[in-house]
Amino acid sequence: MAAAIEFRNIQKAFGDNTVISGMDMSIRQGERFVLVGSSGSGKTTSLKMINRLEQPTGGQVLINGKKAEDYPLQELRWMMGYVLQQIALFPNMTVSQNISLIPEMKGTPKNQLQEMADSLLKRVGLDPVKYRNRYPRELSGGEQQRVGILRAISSKPPIVLMDEPFSALDPISRASLQDLVLDIHEQLHNTIVFVTHDMDEALKIGDRIGIMSEGQLLQAACPQEIAQHPVNNFVRDFFRGSMAKNIYDTPVNKVLLATQPLNGLAKERREDVPVLAENAVLRDLFEKLSTNNYVEIRDRSGQSQGYLDRQKVLNYLSQNEEQED
C-alpha cells in the first residue's frame, strides 16, 4: 500500500534544543497510526510538521509522494482534519456553523450545509434538532469534542491529525470517543495519525504504533509485534508499564497481544466457550475462568481475536512481576 505520509531523515531544533533527530517514518494510506511516548518525546512536534504548523530543520516530509513544502499551504491543510486536546470550537458560532465551516469555505452550496451537518450529528448520537443551534459553551466536554471531530471530518479530508484529543476527558467519554474514531475510520477509510501518551489508548486505536523517546522513533510496528518483540528495554517497559494500577483493571486485549502467537490468531471455534469483548478487563476474565477453561475474546465487530486460558494469564502476570522486581 502506498505511503500517505513519509518522514525522511527529519530533524527539528528550537534554538540549541534538538527535539527530533534523524527521524524516518512511513504511514500508509488508510492506516490508523499512533505516535505514543512520554511528555517531551517529540510526538506532537512530529504531528505538527505534517501540516506545516512546524517546519523541519532538516530532512523532508512527503505527502502522497510530494514534498509538503511544495503544496500551497491552504491546499495542504484542507487535505487534513485537525483535532486538538483544546477543543478550539469557535465560541461565537453554533454547532452547525462550526461543523460546516470548512465545507462552506471550500464552496459547498449553502442549501447542502445544514443537511450535511445534521447527518454528521446523527452519526455521533447528537440529535440535530437539539444541538444544531447550540453554542459551544452549552455543551459538555465530551459533546464539544464530538463536534470538534465532526468539524475535522466534515469535508472528508484524506488525512486526519489528532493530538491527544481525549486526554482531558473522563474515562467513559474517552472510551466512547475512541469508539467513535474507529467507527468513522471504518466508514471513511481515511488516514489517521493519532498522538497520545497512553499506551492502552494506542493499543485500542492503532493499526500500527510508533513509540518515541527523546526525539527518536524507536519502533513502529503492529501492537502484537511490539508486545512480543520490543526492540529494546524502553519499548518493553513502556508497553508493560501502562498496566493499570489495579491489576484487575488491565484490559484483556493487552494480555492477548502479549501471549497470542504472532503467526496468526487462533481461528478454531470451541463450543460452549464464554465470550468477552476486547475492552473487558482482567476482573471479568478471572470471573469467566473460574468456571471455564477458555475464554474467547472478540473485537467490536464480533470477530474472534483469539482465546485466553489460565496459563496465558499467569504467564502475562509473571512477566510483569519480573519487570517490577
Side-chain angles (χ1 to χ4, degrees):
M1 188 177 293
I5 301 163
E6 290 184 77
F7 279 26
R8 294 182 178 175
N9 193 31
I10 288 295
Q11 297 113 45
K12 178 63 180 178
F14 295 99
D16 295 331
N17 181 29
T18 298
V19 295
I20 305 289
S21 52
M23 181 174 174
D24 293 304
M25 178 173 70
S26 180
I27 300 172
R28 296 185 286 267
Q29 290 181 6
E31 182 174 37
R32 301 189 309 268
F33 188 89
V34 180
L35 282 172
V36 65
S38 54
S39 179
S41 61
K43 54 191 187 297
T44 291
T45 300
S46 300
L47 188 81
K48 288 181 176 180
M49 286 191 284
I50 296 173
N51 66 356
R52 290 173 55 191
L53 282 173
E54 295 288 353
Q55 298 287 352
T57 308
Q60 294 180 345
V61 177
L62 280 71
I63 308 297
N64 297 324
K66 180 179 175 179
K67 294 179 184 177
E69 63 201 57
D70 289 345
Y71 287 92
L73 187 58
Q74 186 181 68
E75 178 186 342
L76 178 76
R77 291 184 178 166
W78 274 359
M79 293 167 58
M80 303 178 188
Y82 194 32
V83 185
L84 301 165
Q85 176 183 337
Q86 299 82 13
I87 300 157
L89 296 176
F90 292 102
N92 60 330
M93 291 185 176
T94 65
V95 164
S96 184
Q97 290 169 335
N98 267 283
I99 294 171
S100 304
L101 180 63
I102 301 301
E104 183 176 13
M105 291 173 66
K106 294 176 76 171
T108 300
K110 288 187 179 294
N111 62 354
Q112 296 179 18
L113 292 174
Q114 186 68 69
E115 182 181 352
M116 179 271 300
D118 285 356
S119 175
L120 288 172
L121 285 167
K122 290 176 184 176
R123 183 180 291 182
V124 300
L126 298 177
D127 180 2
V129 174
K130 182 178 179 182
Y131 284 95
R132 69 164 74 102
N133 293 319
R134 288 189 177 184
Y135 288 88
R137 63 180 178 273
E138 300 175 285
L139 306 178
S140 69
E143 290 168 344
Q144 289 185 45
Q145 199 61 293
R146 285 177 185 269
V147 174
I149 292 171
L150 293 183
R151 186 176 65 183
I153 67 164
S154 59
S155 62
K156 298 183 179 178
I159 296 170
V160 178
L161 309 177
M162 309 188 82
D163 188 7
E164 304 222 35
F166 312 140
S167 59
L169 300 177
D170 64 88
I172 294 176
S173 296
R174 186 169 188 166
S176 174
L177 287 169
Q178 289 165 353
D179 289 339
L180 174 60
V181 169
L182 296 174
D183 288 339
I184 288 172
H185 180 266
E186 192 172 305
Q187 295 166 20
L188 301 181
H189 306 290
N190 45 13
T191 302
I192 295 177
V193 187
F194 191 105
V195 164
T196 182
H197 63 273
D198 184 335
M199 190 65 182
D200 287 336
E201 184 166 65
L203 291 172
K204 180 173 181 178
I205 295 291
D207 296 316
R208 282 194 305 142
I209 298 171
I211 297 183
M212 295 192 68
S213 177
E214 298 181 345
Q216 295 186 336
L217 182 65
L218 301 180
Q219 186 172 7
C222 70
Q224 234 185 333
E225 180 74 29
I226 288 173
Q228 297 187 27
H229 298 292
V231 71
N232 58 26
N233 288 341
F234 180 91
V235 173
R236 180 203 65 192
D237 293 345
F238 200 90
F239 174 84
R240 292 181 178 176
S242 63
M243 188 170 62
K245 291 180 180 178
N246 183 337
I247 192 155
Y248 295 104
D249 293 329
T250 301
V252 295
N253 78 317
K254 182 175 288 188
V255 185
L256 191 69
L257 287 168
T259 58
Q260 194 76 31
L262 265 176
N263 59 356
L265 298 173
K267 297 299 183 185
E268 71 276 12
R269 298 301 301 272
R270 297 183 172 95
E271 298 298 329
D272 302 321
V273 172
V275 171
L276 277 178
E278 62 181 355
N279 62 349
V281 296
L282 278 184
R283 180 180 293 104
D284 305 317
L285 181 62
F286 288 145
E287 181 179 343
K288 298 288 187 184
L289 287 175
S290 66
T291 54
N292 298 272
N293 293 325
Y294 296 93
V295 174
E296 182 182 9
I297 310 302
R298 295 186 186 175
D299 66 13
R300 296 167 59 254
S301 63
Q303 296 296 310
S304 179
Q305 297 300 291
Y307 293 83
L308 287 172
D309 57 26
R310 295 183 186 90
Q311 189 58 53
K312 286 181 179 179
V313 176
L314 290 174
N315 289 345
Y316 175 81
L317 295 177
S318 65
Q319 290 170 2
N320 281 278
E321 286 173 1
E322 290 171 6
Q323 176 210 5
E324 293 172 359
D325 289 342

